[in-house]
Amino acid sequence: MRTVSVIGFDGALASAITGIVDLFRLAGVTWARINDLPPEQEFTTRLLTHGGRPCRCINGMTLLADGDWQDYPAGSSQADLVIVPTIGAPIARVLEANPGLVEWLGGFRDASSGQVRVASNCTGAFLLAEAGLLNGRQATTHWGFSNQFRERFPAVDLQPDKLITVDGHIACAGGGMAWWDLGVYLVERYAGAQMARELAKAFVIDAGRTSQAPYGALQARRYHSDAAILKLQDWLDANYTEPVTLQGLARLAGLTERSLIRRFKAATGDTPTGYLQILRIEAARQHLENSRLAVEEVTRLVGYEDVSSFSRLFRKHTGVAPGVYRARFGR
């Protein structure tokens, strides 16, 4: 039976702890009970805290610990998988209050990459990054904290639109209730696809999600200090519905086209064309959420003419078609 160690700390989100424990504890159990079969439990879990003390969660609940994480050296065979839950309290305060945990997590930097050994949910990725586990790796976190994450950890290849990232032996899940998706994914990695499918069915989880982009505003990419590019972004913010060419943007910025592309990419992480698409898609999202305009009209209002091309682009950025987005998020 595989052992999953969930790390508890004051200010954690209770549901990200109890929920992931439920998923692992009931993998192979709930589906069997539904089908009147003998349960075959696949995982055992434990909540580890500093000194084995109770974990005071952000919602006021106190969870009793099963042990002290310091008793299990990082990388030892005593834990198949370690999961860091969501930080619910102010992130900087939690990082400052847990130097011992950060140091302990740092012991996983050199773990074997043959299997996922460490995973985080939502803002729990800040603890992994603080420990240096994510430097040079892909990671994700809650979309709303992505700018803060990038500013604090520039060496991490952050993918805020992704629901789950896996790089070597480290997995990260996106915001909020993404621990559902993370749990099902990890059950699949450790116990097989059939077990994961049965778990998803038993818990009524849509296991096919891959993006958290539909749930948050696409980031404005303004976490830089290049004055020329900031000025150009201001112009694009006000004129995104107009026909825009790279030549025209270069002229506005007083740069060559080659220099514009290089500096824009360095400042924002995207090309001028990619940034323009983000602005238009964000405007389309607002129309779909707050109006009853037809998709054709929304397409025209945000600067596109061809509805099918716009729909493909919208799906690429948000993971769903415009009509599905409106049905899910429209007022």
Side-chain angles (χ1 to χ4, degrees), residues 295-296 299 305-315 322:
V295 173
E296 292 79 4
T299 300
E305 296 295 333
D306 184 70
V307 175
S308 60
S309 296
F310 163 74
S311 296
R312 285 194 297 271
L313 186 63
F314 190 92
R315 181 187 289 274

Side-chain angles (χ1 to χ4, degrees), residues 4-330:
V4 179
S5 299
V6 181
I7 304 302
F9 48 86
D10 290 350
L13 187 70
S15 61
I17 295 175
T18 60
I20 202 77
V21 167
D22 284 342
L23 283 181
F24 280 107
R25 282 278 184 159
L26 295 174
V29 176
T30 302
W31 183 258
R33 290 172 177 165
I34 290 171
N35 291 278
D36 197 25
L37 298 171
E40 296 182 7
Q41 187 174 346
E42 290 284 332
F43 300 90
T44 185
T45 62
R46 61 191 174 201
L47 177 61
L48 302 180
T49 63
H50 179 53
R53 294 192 291 267
C55 171
R56 295 188 295 274
C57 298
I58 192 63
N59 65 356
M61 291 180 62
T62 298
L63 303 177
L64 298 179
D66 299 303
D68 183 348
W69 41 260
Q70 295 177 99
D71 292 337
Y72 302 93
S76 74
S77 60
Q78 295 175 299
D80 294 294
L81 176 63
V82 171
I83 297 180
V84 179
T86 304
I87 297 175
I91 294 171
R93 190 174 77 193
V94 171
L95 296 180
E96 292 167 4
N98 291 279
L101 175 56
V102 169
E103 182 180 0
W104 182 79
L105 288 169
F108 286 94
R109 280 193 293 267
D110 299 324
S112 170
S113 60
Q115 178 63 284
V116 174
R117 296 294 310 281
V118 187
S120 67
N121 185 68
C122 193
T123 48
F126 279 77
L127 279 162
L128 299 191
E130 189 77 2
L133 269 66
L134 301 178
N135 288 344
R137 297 183 184 273
Q138 284 198 358
T140 190
T141 188
H142 191 294
W143 59 265
F145 294 95
S146 60
N147 282 355
Q148 181 179 340
F149 189 98
R150 279 194 175 105
E151 290 169 0
R152 188 174 183 118
F153 307 113
V156 179
D157 181 9
L158 188 67
Q159 305 286 321
D161 287 350
K162 289 188 176 180
L163 196 63
I164 293 178
T165 60
V166 181
D167 195 329
H169 63 291
I170 300 173
C172 299
M177 307 302 283
W179 55 259
W180 282 2
D181 308 88
L182 178 66
V184 172
Y185 171 80
L186 292 172
V187 167
E188 180 178 359
R189 287 288 295 261
Y190 274 88
Q194 181 64 26
M195 181 69 66
R197 284 193 294 269
E198 292 171 354
L199 181 66
K201 290 177 182 178
F203 276 79
V204 197
I205 296 171
D206 178 5
R209 301 190 304 166
T210 59
S211 173
Q212 62 175 337
Y215 298 92
L218 296 173
Q219 297 304 302
R221 318 283 173 111
R222 289 181 175 273
Y223 44 89
H224 63 86
S225 57
D226 189 323
I229 301 304
L230 284 169
K231 184 177 179 180
L232 192 59
Q233 286 178 281
D234 288 339
W235 187 89
L236 285 169
D237 291 349
N239 297 277
Y240 66 86
T241 63
E242 302 299 323
V244 176
T245 65
L246 186 62
Q247 183 181 27
L249 293 176
R251 187 168 56 251
L252 283 169
L255 301 168
T256 65
E257 293 180 26
R258 186 174 181 179
S259 294
L260 170 62
I261 294 172
R262 177 180 55 79
R263 285 179 58 175
F264 205 99
K265 181 78 172 179
T268 71
D270 210 340
T271 64
T273 300
Y275 181 77
L276 177 61
Q277 288 179 350
I278 286 173
L279 291 177
R280 288 173 169 175
I281 294 300
E282 179 58 22
R285 283 157 49 98
Q286 296 300 317
H287 285 301
L288 292 169
E289 290 177 16
N290 301 306
S291 79
R292 303 187 70 169
L293 295 172
V295 173
E296 292 79 4
E297 182 66 9
V298 171
T299 300
R300 187 187 62 79
L301 285 173
V302 300
Y304 293 108
E305 296 295 333
D306 184 70
V307 175
S308 60
S309 296
F310 163 74
S311 296
R312 285 194 297 271
L313 186 63
F314 190 92
R315 181 187 289 274
K316 174 185 174 183
H317 280 279
T318 68
V320 294
V324 174
Y325 184 90
R326 167 171 279 163
R328 187 179 298 176
F329 299 106

